Amino acid sequence: MSSDRRANPSDVLRPRNVGAPIKRTEDPRLLTGNGEYTADRKPDRPLHLAFLRSGQPHARIERIDTSAALGAPGVIAVLTADDIADDFKPVIPFSRMPNYHATPIVPLASRKVRYVGEPVVAIVATSRYLAEDALELIEVDYEPLGAISRAELAIADGAPLLHEEAGTNVLLAREFKKGDVGADLKAAAVRVGGRFEMTRKAPLAMEPRSYAAEYEKRRDAITLYTSSNIPGIVRDAVSESLGLPGHRLRVVAPDVGGSFGSKGSLYPEELLICIAARKLRRSVKWTADRLEDVSSSSQAFAEIVNAEMGFDANGIATSLQADVIGDVGAFSIYPWTCGLEPVQVVSFLPGPYKIGSYRGVVRGVATCKPPTGPYRGVGRPISTFVTERLMDLGAAALGVDPLEIRRRNLVRAEEFPYRIASGIIWDKTGFTECLDAAAEAVGYGQLRKLQAEARKQGRLFGIGIASYAELTGIGSRIAVAPGMPINTGSETAKITIDSTGAITAAFGVASHGQGLETTLAQIVADDLGARFEDVRVIQGDSDEVPMSTGTYASRSAVLGGGAAKHASKILQEKIKRVASHLLEANADDIEVTEGRAIVLGTDRAVTFKQIAKAVYSDMKTLPVEAREELTATYTYDPINGTTAAATHIAAVEVDPATCFVRILKFVVAEDCGRIINPMIVDGQVHGGVAQGIGAALLEELIYDEDGQLLTASLVDYMIPSAPEVPLMDVVHIESESAVAGGFRGMGEGGTIGAPAAIANAIADALSPLGIGVSILPMTPERIFKLMEQAKGREDE
Amino acid sequence: MTTEVSVTVNGETYHVPDVEPRLLLSDFLRDLLGLTGTHVGCEHGVCGACTVLVNGDSVRSCLMLAVQANGAEIITVEGLGSPEELNVLQTEFREHHGLQCGFCTPGMLMTGEDLLRKYPLATDEDIREGLSGNLCRCTGYQNIVAAIRSAAVKRTEKAS
Ligand code: FES
Ligand code: FES
């Protein structure tokens, strides 16, 4: 073989890491207790915060007496709204949306409280125990202003106003319209509809929210360690509010114990802890206990949807009409606003279907509860629940199989890009492919036979299907939250080879369980031509890249991955140029792989270490003009974003005696484009589905008429434990997407499809009794009541 | 009124003076001994994140006072293996992707160790039952069960 025969470049460049189930870089530290979560930080002689929170749903603060608390052992300071009035500017969750009233965010309630759990007074003491002891010595007199416990009450005439400045409790109103829904519904062969509800839910990350403001005296600077998935946004907001420039305010999200949205907004406690650290010139720590976390972290869902769908005689959905009321809680969250969740519901209601005409109206209504905010799936769990229930109702009315009615209505392969009736554009995605693959994996035909058998024996056995599509990796053309002015559409990667030849890749994303240290390193390794184990990924640190917003909205693989690819490419070109000097070869003849630059088809090569030495350390190896710093920064913006889709199928059995629902089978067929790490993708689906099971069967934050939370402990707020979660089967359809690398986002999908699939399965199981499913979670208590009512009807 | 607490943790003996009787074992381990591998997820005995082994039995360290552990032998997650040399169960967690955010993981590992030492774990249902007092919000449990199953198989292979 002649030595100058060229290897095929595509052989050399074939991805080695992307697509492989590479074991995670994060794991060795996390498995051995060597992770560092915010509460694990050990700053020098830290002080500890405790909050006195409102026990009143809605009241004027008449008097606060902190004198006794101030004298308590270990107490260093007691802070009320008046004490810190000059230390910050309120943070305004701005939006360009018409008919939206922004509500300012302040660290401590001033003049009045608006929900049970709102922070009113902060105590700083030498230990957490002592700070909590002193809370009991604070006296607050309240003048009750009347609780607003439900959205329907908030919009009633004469309801007390939560925000007088807004002049209304309706903080947001919007309408989406296409075609003539009224006429189409009138013309429909079959109309189905109802009132659907998903109750209030907690994202409930296992790590409670936690902050540590570490004060640096010599330059009046703060490093805020925060259990946040948006450290960059927090940095910018705190900087603005406290008047601290970014180089004196570093915000770091270290290891974060899950978020699912609950750590994806700015919190009053983040402002307060920085104010306290600055005032006292000391480091301050705070970690929520579980009660505080459940009753003050952003919550989810809480929407009522009155909807109607019309079908023609062939089972084609022609029209959809929906009226959504979102119970958004007492405040808009920053930066997403209270519009995030409810507006998303009306945006996504048409789902993956070609529904001709649409009218969706939405109102976000203030009540005396903690704010709702982002939660895994945002809006889509409920839009999917409603639309998929309507599909099944339509199928039943027309005598069509649920699988078939979806097949008739899904956007087909040749019809992409497709603009659905609410205006969202789906790019080419495997909608029908997912449906078919899920049906095949679950053995749909066989399952229906099993069901027929079970029914003969009087068992309540049901099968449920849910298909959905979502937008992921959203670029700058679309605001992640409606009308929000912050650009969340781009992401920066900065990749550097230092003078020792070590590779560091810094990103603005902030992993909190997704394994981005691994997946982004996989991409960098392939595209730069490095060995996977040589790439260190840094993220979640506002000092590392100039712009970072964080990890949310299924954006990090798409945006971070895209930035990684581009920055890697730029850096690789630099490596080639240096190598061409060192190897005396044409840069075009050099390939970079496994941490070496090689003249193609020869054994002449230099390592990254040799290249770095030549650039940074050697006196004369390179001419001056060839000594380019080995670093590349790229900010990637996919402009639009990309679609991801899936079909979930569940088989359940309802026990008529206990009313418990057992999930017998669960299959997910999903299209997240090019898979970076299949092991991690499966893990995301499993976890998402488990949360969807919680939403479908167990989890509910119950507030009574006085605005008191009745389910603040993990005994009362039940999340799925291992016995409640079935074995899941995940099938992947990898249709290439148009964004860099062909990735699609997929961190949220499990939670979007599962509630709807389970709801449909329960409805199917209970259909012999004439029971429908219109509210989630379907707790044993709800099922029991519905069965009793059904019996009552029979008896009549 | 404070007392001295003497404990052996991961083979090392500590004599800690001036321990308040109300101090939780979880806070004692984390704040006084600096062993922050033990996590606190609820402080009311439900989530299992704080699980440690006390005299060979799994215990929720948020439900035990430090003074009650006086004289005890405790093993925490730091006592299992090191990043360079994971123990069998830790290795299986990594192989099977049995952790995402890692917050529940120390408790899962300590409960897993306890299950592996004491029970036959004949079926995966047995493993799921055994884990029912440990909450994980990330993984959906499937890969945790697979990791413990695999460790159980290895344990049997080693024993035979
Ligand atoms: S922290 Fe101990 S059981 Fe949750
Ligand atoms: S891995 Fe995050 S809670 Fe279990």
Side-chain angles (χ1 to χ4, degrees):
Chain A
M1 197 200 283
S2 78
S3 63
D4 60 10
R5 207 184 106 205
R6 290 182 158 227
N8 182 348
S10 66
D11 284 347
V12 180
L13 294 177
R14 193 186 49 213
R16 291 155 199 270
N17 296 295
V18 168
I22 291 191
K23 305 285 165 269
R24 300 199 320 166
T25 315
E26 294 86 344
D27 290 355
R29 71 167 187 271
L30 299 180
L31 283 164
T32 54
N34 286 292
E36 187 178 64
Y37 300 82
T38 299
D40 303 342
R41 293 286 308 168
K42 301 177 184 86
D44 179 38
R45 295 175 305 121
L47 299 174
H48 298 263
L49 260 182
F51 290 95
L52 180 74
R53 294 174 183 275
S54 169
Q56 293 280 332
H58 186 200
R60 202 180 348 274
I61 302 172
E62 297 282 337
R63 186 184 70 100
I64 302 179
D65 184 350
T66 59
S67 49
L70 249 179
V75 171
I76 304 286
V78 181
L79 303 172
T80 65
D82 287 346
D83 300 320
I84 58 168
D86 299 331
D87 298 320
F88 73 97
K89 282 192 306 207
V91 178
I92 312 290
F94 179 79
S95 165
R96 293 187 202 93
M97 265 184 299
N99 306 316
Y100 162 72
H101 301 281
T103 56
I105 294 169
V106 294
L108 295 170
S110 139
R111 294 195 298 281
K112 70 185 241 181
V113 292
R114 295 179 177 86
Y115 66 91
V116 174
E118 188 175 353
V120 180
V121 183
I123 291 193
V124 189
T126 50
S127 88
R128 182 176 164 196
Y129 285 71
L130 294 174
E132 288 180 1
D133 286 347
L135 289 180
E136 316 207 339
L137 303 173
I138 300 171
E139 279 175 41
V140 185
D141 292 343
Y142 291 107
E143 170 71 25
L145 295 170
I148 309 166
S149 57
R150 282 185 286 120
E152 288 105 324
L153 299 178
I155 51 177
D157 284 344
L161 288 181
L162 219 47
H163 297 274
E164 289 81 1
E165 321 77 63
T168 168
N169 287 325
V170 180
L171 296 183
L172 143 107
R174 234 176 135 179
E175 179 171 3
F176 288 64
K177 225 166 133 177
K178 187 191 166 215
D180 189 343
V181 179
D184 289 349
L185 278 176
K186 219 175 259 162
V190 162
R191 290 165 75 157
V192 291
R195 176 193 189 273
F196 299 92
E197 180 174 1
M198 272 175 95
T199 59
R200 215 173 178 81
K201 181 177 185 303
L204 212 112
M206 291 321 300
E207 178 203 28
R209 285 193 293 121
S210 180
Y211 311 119
E214 304 191 2
Y215 187 73
E216 205 185 314
K217 249 189 207 139
R218 57 201 175 100
R219 31 180 227 113
D220 185 27
I222 290 174
T223 301
L224 174 67
Y225 284 82
T226 168
S227 60
S228 176
N229 53 289
I230 54 160
I233 291 176
V234 169
R235 200 277 299 265
D236 293 359
V238 175
S239 160
E240 178 71 23
S241 175
L242 270 64
L244 255 186
H247 58 258
R248 277 166 53 212
L249 176 66
R250 175 179 167 215
V251 176
V252 181
D255 288 322
V256 174
S259 163
F260 318 111
S262 65
K263 297 166 181 168
S265 307
L266 174 79
Y267 280 96
E269 294 93 343
E270 282 171 307
L271 292 170
L272 194 278
I273 202 166
C274 292
I275 292 169
R278 213 178 175 195
K279 254 185 144 47
L280 302 168
R281 299 173 69 84
R282 290 277 297 272
S283 296
V284 185
K285 291 184 71 176
W286 175 74
T287 299
D289 66 23
R290 184 51 69 185
L291 166 74
E292 273 184 302
D293 193 68
V294 174
S295 60
S296 70
S297 297
S298 67
Q299 302 179 341
F301 304 158
E303 279 137 341
I304 297 166
V305 183
N306 279 290
E308 189 174 17
M309 195 182 270
F311 293 85
D312 70 13
N314 297 319
I316 304 297
T318 54
S319 45
L320 172 64
Q321 166 164 290
D323 183 346
V324 178
I325 296 189
D327 168 353
V328 299
F331 290 96
S332 249
I333 42 141
Y334 184 89
W336 318 112
T337 81
C338 64
L340 178 70
E341 165 79 26
V343 173
Q344 202 95 290
V345 178
V346 272
S347 305
F348 284 91
L349 265 169
Y353 302 113
K354 297 174 286 181
I355 300 166
S357 58
Y358 177 55
R359 178 163 176 270
V361 293
V362 55
R363 278 170 297 174
V365 180
T367 61
C368 298
K369 293 174 200 164
T372 55
Y375 171 64
R376 199 174 201 173
V378 183
R380 290 153 296 193
I382 179 156
S383 70
T384 303
F385 167 56
V386 172
T387 303
E388 293 303 292
R389 283 298 299 131
L390 292 171
M391 277 289 157
D392 268 19
L393 291 172
L398 288 151
V400 178
D401 186 272
L403 195 63
E404 177 55 26
I405 199 149
R406 288 175 172 81
R407 199 171 280 133
R408 288 184 198 171
N409 286 287
L410 284 171
V411 180
R412 311 195 66 82
E414 65 279 10
E415 294 165 333
F416 293 105
Y418 189 91
R419 180 191 286 268
I420 55 169
S422 60
I424 291 171
I425 298 171
W426 301 133
D427 66 1
K428 190 161 195 280
T429 318
F431 289 6
T432 50
E433 291 84 343
C434 285
L435 184 75
D436 292 340
E440 193 191 318
V442 83
Y444 189 74
Q446 186 56 32
L447 207 54
R448 283 286 176 208
K449 282 189 198 131
L450 269 178
Q451 179 184 34
E453 295 285 306
R455 279 201 175 150
K456 267 189 224 144
Q457 300 158 14
R459 286 161 52 203
L460 301 171
F461 182 109
I463 302 163
I465 306 174
S467 292
Y468 68 85
E470 55 169 335
L471 273 184
T472 69
I474 296 172
S476 60
R477 190 162 293 160
I478 308 165
V480 161
M484 188 186 71
I486 297 180
N487 175 20
T488 49
S490 51
E491 183 57 52
T492 304
K494 182 178 176 207
I495 309 178
T496 305
I497 299 179
D498 66 22
S499 58
T500 69
I503 307 158
T504 303
F507 292 87
V509 300
S511 185
H512 40 286
Q514 294 88 344
L516 294 170
E517 280 173 50
T518 306
T519 45
L520 293 174
Q522 288 179 265
I523 296 170
V524 172
D526 281 352
D527 285 60
L528 182 62
R531 288 182 309 189
F532 169 76
E533 56 277 20
D534 291 343
V535 180
R536 176 175 180 226
V537 168
I538 299 182
Q539 39 140 13
D541 185 337
S542 70
D543 266 9
E544 291 301 332
V545 290
M547 189 279 310
S548 68
T549 56
T551 290
Y552 49 87
S554 298
R555 71 192 290 274
S556 295
V558 178
L559 274 72
K565 287 186 88 71
H566 285 282
S568 296
K569 180 102 194 70
I570 297 168
L571 184 54
Q572 195 188 56
E573 293 304 319
K574 285 191 176 183
I575 290 169
K576 285 186 186 175
R577 284 198 289 274
V578 176
S580 77
H581 281 281
L582 300 179
L583 296 168
E584 290 167 350
N586 193 326
D588 294 339
D589 293 339
I590 291 173
E591 290 297 345
V592 183
T593 179
E594 297 283 295
R596 300 183 332 146
I598 306 163
V599 181
L600 266 178
T602 74
D603 51 10
R604 285 189 290 139
V606 280
T607 63
F608 283 9
K609 191 168 182 160
Q610 290 167 318
I611 290 171
K613 193 156 178 283
V615 171
Y616 297 114
S617 315
D618 284 355
M619 185 76 101
K620 292 226 167 67
T621 315
L622 288 176
V624 175
E625 67 280 4
R627 284 185 225 147
E628 301 177 80
E629 193 190 357
L630 296 173
T631 186
T633 303
Y634 190 90
T635 299
Y636 176 64
D637 180 345
I639 309 296
N640 284 316
T642 180
T643 308
T647 295
H648 292 208
I649 301 184
V652 307
E653 181 157 358
V654 181
D655 181 331
T658 63
C659 298
F660 271 98
V661 175
R662 205 154 72 86
I663 301 170
L664 307 170
K665 248 180 181 217
F666 204 100
V667 168
V668 176
E670 61 93 44
D671 180 0
C672 71
R674 180 103 168 263
I675 289 179
I676 303 169
N677 187 325
M679 182 185 84
I680 288 178
V681 167
D682 282 354
Q684 287 290 320
V685 175
H686 294 164
V689 168
Q691 288 187 18
I693 291 171
L697 301 179
L698 303 167
E699 296 178 39
E700 182 170 4
L701 289 170
I702 302 173
Y703 281 84
D704 70 9
E705 294 296 307
D706 295 325
Q708 298 287 342
L709 176 59
L710 305 181
T711 54
S713 80
L714 293 183
V715 181
D716 302 307
Y717 188 85
M718 292 234 292
I719 66 168
S721 69
E724 282 100 45
V725 180
L727 199 69
M728 298 163 240
D729 187 6
V730 186
V731 186
H732 303 289
I733 310 289
E734 285 189 75
S735 74
E736 198 88 350
S737 104
V739 302
F743 313 127
R744 303 174 191 271
M746 55 75 51
E748 299 174 87
T751 309
I752 300 174
I758 295 168
N760 278 339
I762 297 173
D764 190 35
L766 299 179
S767 62
L769 308 176
I771 295 174
V773 172
S774 58
I775 181 168
L776 293 180
M778 282 299 270
T779 55
E781 189 185 337
R782 284 207 173 93
I783 293 177
F784 174 76
K785 281 189 185 145
L786 288 169
M787 286 171 72
E788 287 299 300
Q789 281 167 15
K791 267 188 216 143
R793 281 198 301 271
E794 249 171 49
D795 294 345
E796 269 162 30
Chain B
M1 200 201 62
T2 58
T3 49
E4 180 178 284
V5 171
S6 301
V7 283
T8 306
V9 184
N10 305 328
E12 206 171 313
T13 306
Y14 298 82
H15 302 283
V16 184
D18 303 331
V19 175
E20 272 197 78
R22 64 172 172 170
L23 187 73
L24 301 177
L25 179 60
S26 50
D27 289 340
F28 174 84
L29 292 169
R30 291 178 50 82
D31 300 340
L32 299 192
L33 304 191
L35 295 170
T36 51
T38 299
H39 294 160
V40 173
C42 71
E43 287 177 297
H44 54 260
V46 182
C47 76
C50 65
T51 307
V52 298
L53 301 182
V54 176
N55 298 328
D57 290 322
S58 66
V59 160
R60 276 148 211 258
S61 60
C62 75
L63 290 187
M64 190 168 183
L65 299 170
V67 291
Q68 293 175 293
N70 195 19
E73 191 142 333
I74 297 173
I75 299 177
T76 68
V77 68
E78 287 95 341
L80 298 183
S82 64
E84 299 72 37
E85 205 173 345
L86 301 175
N87 84 357
V88 174
L89 186 57
Q90 288 167 321
T91 306
E92 295 308 322
F93 264 67
R94 187 170 191 218
E95 287 293 317
H96 290 91
H97 190 32
L99 68 158
Q100 290 182 27
C101 78
F103 197 78
C104 70
T105 310
M108 289 288 178
L109 289 169
M110 300 321 288
T111 303
E113 291 287 346
D114 194 49
L115 294 176
L116 286 165
R117 278 176 213 177
K118 291 184 183 158
Y119 304 100
L121 304 178
T123 67
D124 284 359
E125 268 59 54
D126 294 340
I127 297 178
R128 284 182 187 263
E129 262 327 303
L131 289 177
S132 63
N134 286 71
L135 299 175
C136 173
R137 196 57 157 166
C138 299
T139 63
Y141 304 102
Q142 188 152 323
N143 292 341
I144 295 178
V145 174
I148 295 178
R149 166 60 54 221
S150 182
V153 170
K154 297 236 158 87
R155 171 193 63 180
T156 330
E157 281 168 2
K158 228 171 115 193
S160 60

